[in-house]
Amino acid sequence: TIRSRASWSSDSEDSDSSGADSLYRVVLLGDPGVGKSSLANIYAGTQEKDANEHRGEESYERTLTVDGEETTLIVMDTWETEKQEQAENWVQDYCMQVGNAYVIVYSITDRASFESASELRIQLRRARQAENIPIILVGNKSDLVRCREVSVEEGRGCAVVFDCKFIETSAALHHNVQELFEGIVRQIRLRRDSKET
Ligand code: GDP
Ligand code: MG
Protein backbone atom coordinates (compact mmCIF):
# COMPACT_ATOMS: atom_id res chain seq x y z
CA THR A 1 0.00 0.00 0.00
CA ILE A 2 0.96 3.64 -0.29
CA ARG A 3 1.44 4.03 3.41
CA SER A 4 3.77 1.12 3.89
CA ARG A 5 5.79 2.10 0.84
CA ALA A 6 6.02 5.58 2.25
CA SER A 7 7.32 4.52 5.61
CA TRP A 8 9.67 2.17 3.93
CA SER A 9 11.15 4.92 1.78
CA SER A 10 11.86 7.12 4.77
CA ASP A 11 14.19 4.47 6.02
CA SER A 12 17.43 5.92 4.78
CA GLU A 13 19.37 2.82 5.77
CA ASP A 14 17.41 0.83 3.25
CA SER A 15 19.86 0.31 0.45
CA ASP A 16 17.69 -1.13 -2.28
CA SER A 17 18.21 -0.19 -5.91
CA SER A 18 18.02 3.50 -6.74
CA GLY A 19 14.74 3.53 -8.67
CA ALA A 20 12.84 1.91 -5.85
CA ASP A 21 13.38 4.62 -3.29
CA SER A 22 12.07 7.53 -5.35
CA LEU A 23 9.01 8.06 -3.13
CA TYR A 24 9.18 10.97 -0.72
CA ARG A 25 6.91 12.67 1.77
CA VAL A 26 6.66 16.43 1.51
CA VAL A 27 5.04 18.20 4.46
CA LEU A 28 3.37 21.61 4.11
CA LEU A 29 3.79 23.85 7.14
CA GLY A 30 2.52 27.35 7.81
CA ASP A 31 -0.10 29.52 9.46
CA PRO A 32 -3.79 29.01 8.72
CA GLY A 33 -4.94 30.81 5.59
CA VAL A 34 -1.58 31.16 3.84
CA GLY A 35 -2.61 28.82 1.03
CA LYS A 36 -1.24 25.39 1.94
CA SER A 37 -4.39 23.52 0.92
CA SER A 38 -4.65 25.54 -2.28
CA LEU A 39 -1.08 24.57 -3.22
CA ALA A 40 -1.71 20.94 -2.29
CA ASN A 41 -4.85 20.87 -4.40
CA ILE A 42 -3.04 22.24 -7.42
CA TYR A 43 -0.39 19.59 -6.92
CA ALA A 44 -3.06 16.91 -6.67
CA GLY A 45 -4.70 18.08 -9.88
CA THR A 46 -7.73 16.01 -10.66
CA GLN A 47 -6.57 13.13 -8.54
CA GLU A 48 -8.61 11.85 -5.67
CA LYS A 49 -7.23 12.64 -2.31
CA ASP A 50 -5.88 9.84 -0.26
CA ALA A 51 -7.46 10.83 3.01
CA ASN A 52 -6.34 8.81 5.93
CA GLU A 53 -9.30 8.74 8.29
CA HIS A 54 -7.39 7.55 11.30
CA ARG A 55 -4.97 10.38 11.38
CA GLY A 56 -7.23 12.91 9.71
CA GLU A 57 -4.54 13.30 7.10
CA GLU A 58 -4.87 14.91 3.75
CA SER A 59 -2.18 13.59 1.51
CA TYR A 60 -1.80 13.60 -2.22
CA GLU A 61 0.41 11.26 -4.16
CA ARG A 62 1.61 12.05 -7.65
CA THR A 63 4.53 11.08 -9.80
CA LEU A 64 6.46 13.88 -11.49
CA THR A 65 8.94 13.61 -14.28
CA VAL A 66 11.69 16.10 -13.61
CA ASP A 67 14.81 16.24 -15.79
CA GLY A 68 13.76 12.98 -17.41
CA GLU A 69 13.51 11.04 -14.17
CA GLU A 70 10.37 10.03 -12.28
CA THR A 71 9.86 10.83 -8.63
CA THR A 72 6.75 10.30 -6.55
CA LEU A 73 5.90 12.87 -3.92
CA ILE A 74 3.31 12.38 -1.22
CA VAL A 75 2.28 15.90 -0.32
CA MET A 76 0.92 16.09 3.22
CA ASP A 77 -1.42 18.95 4.07
CA THR A 78 -1.91 17.94 7.68
CA TRP A 79 -0.56 20.79 9.74
CA GLU A 80 -3.86 22.26 10.94
CA THR A 81 -5.73 19.01 11.14
CA GLU A 82 -7.60 18.51 14.40
CA LYS A 83 -6.59 21.94 15.55
CA GLN A 84 -9.55 22.02 17.91
CA GLU A 85 -8.64 18.75 19.48
CA GLN A 86 -6.04 17.77 21.97
CA ALA A 87 -4.38 15.70 19.30
CA GLU A 88 -2.98 18.85 17.79
CA ASN A 89 0.44 18.59 19.35
CA TRP A 90 0.64 14.98 18.43
CA VAL A 91 -0.21 15.70 14.80
CA GLN A 92 2.36 18.48 14.67
CA ASP A 93 5.07 16.34 16.25
CA TYR A 94 4.22 13.66 13.74
CA CYS A 95 4.53 16.14 10.85
CA MET A 96 7.91 17.27 12.11
CA GLN A 97 9.19 13.70 12.11
CA VAL A 98 7.88 12.13 8.93
CA GLY A 99 8.79 14.56 6.17
CA ASN A 100 11.53 13.84 3.68
CA ALA A 101 11.20 17.49 2.65
CA TYR A 102 9.36 20.54 3.98
CA VAL A 103 7.55 23.43 2.41
CA ILE A 104 7.17 26.34 4.82
CA VAL A 105 4.47 28.64 3.50
CA TYR A 106 3.67 32.22 4.43
CA SER A 107 1.50 34.78 2.75
CA ILE A 108 3.20 37.87 1.32
CA THR A 109 0.11 39.77 2.52
CA ASP A 110 0.52 38.70 6.14
CA ARG A 111 3.64 39.63 8.04
CA ALA A 112 2.67 37.53 11.05
CA SER A 113 2.67 34.44 8.84
CA PHE A 114 6.19 35.36 7.70
CA GLU A 115 7.29 35.50 11.32
CA SER A 116 5.64 32.14 11.95
CA ALA A 117 7.63 30.73 9.07
CA SER A 118 10.84 31.55 10.94
CA GLU A 119 9.48 29.89 14.05
CA LEU A 120 8.67 26.80 12.06
CA ARG A 121 12.14 26.70 10.58
CA ILE A 122 13.60 26.78 14.09
CA GLN A 123 11.20 24.09 15.32
CA LEU A 124 12.12 21.93 12.37
CA ARG A 125 15.81 22.34 12.96
CA ARG A 126 15.28 21.31 16.57
CA ALA A 127 13.21 18.28 15.65
CA ARG A 128 15.55 17.00 12.97
CA GLN A 129 18.91 18.25 14.17
CA ALA A 130 21.47 16.15 12.43
CA GLU A 131 19.58 15.77 9.19
CA ASN A 132 20.09 17.84 6.10
CA ILE A 133 16.45 17.90 5.01
CA PRO A 134 15.36 19.92 1.98
CA ILE A 135 13.33 22.95 2.98
CA ILE A 136 11.68 25.47 0.70
CA LEU A 137 10.37 28.77 1.97
CA VAL A 138 7.32 29.82 -0.02
CA GLY A 139 5.85 33.32 -0.18
CA ASN A 140 2.36 32.64 -1.50
CA LYS A 141 -0.35 35.03 -2.81
CA SER A 142 2.10 36.90 -5.02
CA ASP A 143 -0.88 37.99 -7.10
CA LEU A 144 -2.10 40.28 -4.29
CA VAL A 145 0.44 42.98 -5.09
CA ARG A 146 -1.43 45.83 -3.43
CA CYS A 147 -1.71 43.97 -0.13
CA ARG A 148 1.94 42.98 0.00
CA GLU A 149 3.47 43.21 3.50
CA VAL A 150 6.61 41.15 2.91
CA SER A 151 8.98 42.07 0.09
CA VAL A 152 10.68 39.58 -2.18
CA GLU A 153 14.03 40.70 -0.74
CA GLU A 154 12.91 39.92 2.80
CA GLY A 155 11.74 36.48 1.76
CA ARG A 156 14.97 35.78 -0.05
CA GLY A 157 17.01 37.11 2.88
CA CYS A 158 15.16 34.89 5.31
CA ALA A 159 15.88 31.87 3.13
CA VAL A 160 19.58 32.74 3.12
CA VAL A 161 19.63 32.98 6.91
CA PHE A 162 17.77 29.72 7.24
CA ASP A 163 19.82 28.00 4.58
CA CYS A 164 16.89 26.93 2.45
CA LYS A 165 15.44 27.58 -1.00
CA PHE A 166 12.93 30.33 -1.70
CA ILE A 167 10.15 30.88 -4.20
CA GLU A 168 7.14 33.16 -4.45
CA THR A 169 3.98 31.52 -5.73
CA SER A 170 0.39 32.34 -6.51
CA ALA A 171 -1.95 29.45 -5.98
CA ALA A 172 -4.73 31.66 -7.34
CA LEU A 173 -2.93 32.12 -10.68
CA HIS A 174 -1.12 28.74 -10.56
CA HIS A 175 2.04 30.77 -10.85
CA ASN A 176 5.29 28.99 -9.88
CA VAL A 177 3.41 26.07 -8.30
CA GLN A 178 4.79 23.51 -10.73
CA GLU A 179 8.24 25.09 -10.28
CA LEU A 180 7.89 24.73 -6.50
CA PHE A 181 7.28 20.99 -6.62
CA GLU A 182 9.94 20.43 -9.26
CA GLY A 183 12.34 22.38 -7.04
CA ILE A 184 11.59 20.03 -4.16
CA VAL A 185 12.34 17.03 -6.33
CA ARG A 186 15.67 18.56 -7.37
CA GLN A 187 16.58 19.33 -3.77
CA ILE A 188 15.81 15.77 -2.74
CA ARG A 189 17.92 14.41 -5.59
CA LEU A 190 20.87 16.66 -4.79
CA ARG A 191 21.02 15.24 -1.30
CA ARG A 192 20.47 11.68 -2.48
CA ASP A 193 23.23 11.98 -5.07
CA SER A 194 25.71 13.51 -2.65
CA LYS A 195 25.06 10.61 -0.28
CA GLU A 196 25.83 8.06 -2.97
CA THR A 197 29.25 9.42 -3.82
P1 GDP B 1 -4.46 27.07 4.32
O1 GDP B 1 -5.23 27.40 5.54
O2 GDP B 1 -3.01 27.39 4.48
O3 GDP B 1 -4.68 25.69 3.84
O4 GDP B 1 -4.96 28.08 3.18
P2 GDP B 1 -6.03 27.83 2.03
O5 GDP B 1 -5.42 27.09 0.89
O6 GDP B 1 -7.25 27.26 2.61
O7 GDP B 1 -6.27 29.32 1.54
C1 GDP B 1 -6.82 30.30 2.38
C2 GDP B 1 -7.50 31.37 1.53
O8 GDP B 1 -6.54 32.05 0.73
C3 GDP B 1 -8.52 30.79 0.57
O9 GDP B 1 -9.60 31.68 0.48
C4 GDP B 1 -7.76 30.75 -0.75
O10 GDP B 1 -8.62 30.86 -1.84
C5 GDP B 1 -6.88 31.96 -0.63
N1 GDP B 1 -5.62 31.81 -1.39
C6 GDP B 1 -4.75 30.79 -1.33
N2 GDP B 1 -3.71 31.00 -2.16
C7 GDP B 1 -3.92 32.18 -2.75
C8 GDP B 1 -3.19 32.96 -3.72
O11 GDP B 1 -2.12 32.60 -4.20
N3 GDP B 1 -3.72 34.17 -4.06
C9 GDP B 1 -4.90 34.61 -3.57
N4 GDP B 1 -5.34 35.79 -3.99
N5 GDP B 1 -5.62 33.91 -2.67
C10 GDP B 1 -5.14 32.71 -2.26
MG1 MG C 1 -5.67 24.12 4.78
Side-chain angles (χ1 to χ4, degrees):
T1 68
I2 290 163
R3 188 140 303 278
S4 59
R5 277 164 62 211
S7 51
W8 176 81
S9 80
S10 72
D11 211 339
S12 54
E13 300 310 309
D14 208 315
S15 57
D16 228 300
S17 64
S18 55
D21 62 0
S22 56
L23 178 73
Y24 300 95
R25 270 184 301 250
V26 178
V27 177
L28 298 173
L29 306 177
D31 271 2
V34 296
K36 298 180 298 301
S37 299
S38 304
L39 292 167
N41 278 300
I42 293 169
Y43 179 76
T46 55
Q47 277 209 324
E48 299 260 312
K49 32 182 193 187
D50 164 38
N52 182 316
E53 303 298 328
H54 309 291
R55 294 194 172 114
E57 262 178 39
E58 305 265 31
S59 54
Y60 308 85
E61 179 177 336
R62 225 186 83 200
T63 300
L64 302 180
T65 303
V66 181
D67 306 327
E69 187 188 339
E70 285 193 345
T71 293
T72 302
L73 298 184
I74 298 173
V75 172
M76 294 171 58
D77 177 27
T78 59
W79 189 242
E80 283 137 23
T81 320
E82 302 174 49
K83 194 113 198 168
Q84 270 70 284
E85 296 172 32
Q86 308 224 317
E88 181 193 352
N89 287 340
W90 186 85
V91 171
Q92 300 204 340
D93 286 347
Y94 173 76
C95 287
M96 286 297 188
Q97 293 304 327
V98 297
N100 300 113
Y102 287 85
V103 177
I104 303 180
V105 187
Y106 66 91
S107 165
I108 66 144
T109 66
D110 176 7
R111 179 157 292 277
S113 73
F114 182 59
E115 279 150 19
S116 295
S118 298
E119 293 286 315
L120 287 165
R121 175 69 185 91
I122 291 163
Q123 253 180 278
L124 195 53
R125 179 178 286 163
R126 207 177 290 139
R128 307 283 292 273
Q129 275 173 6
E131 296 168 76
N132 181 20
I133 324 165
I135 298 173
I136 316 231
L137 181 66
V138 175
N140 188 44
K141 308 202 186 182
S142 64
D143 57 293
L144 298 176
V145 284
R146 291 210 225 145
C147 306
R148 184 186 279 275
E149 292 183 0
V150 182
S151 70
V152 183
E153 292 71 28
E154 283 177 284
R156 211 176 275 137
C158 184
V160 170
V161 169
F162 287 123
D163 190 25
C164 65
K165 290 282 168 187
F166 173 68
I167 192 169
E168 279 199 353
T169 59
S170 167
L173 302 179
H174 288 215
H175 180 248
N176 268 352
V177 179
Q178 184 73 14
E179 287 77 0
L180 163 63
F181 289 102
E182 288 178 3
I184 294 163
V185 168
R186 291 198 180 97
Q187 286 301 302
I188 289 170
R189 285 181 193 163
L190 275 175
R191 281 162 177 79
R192 176 200 65 189
D193 295 345
S194 65
K195 255 184 221 163
E196 279 170 5
T197 49

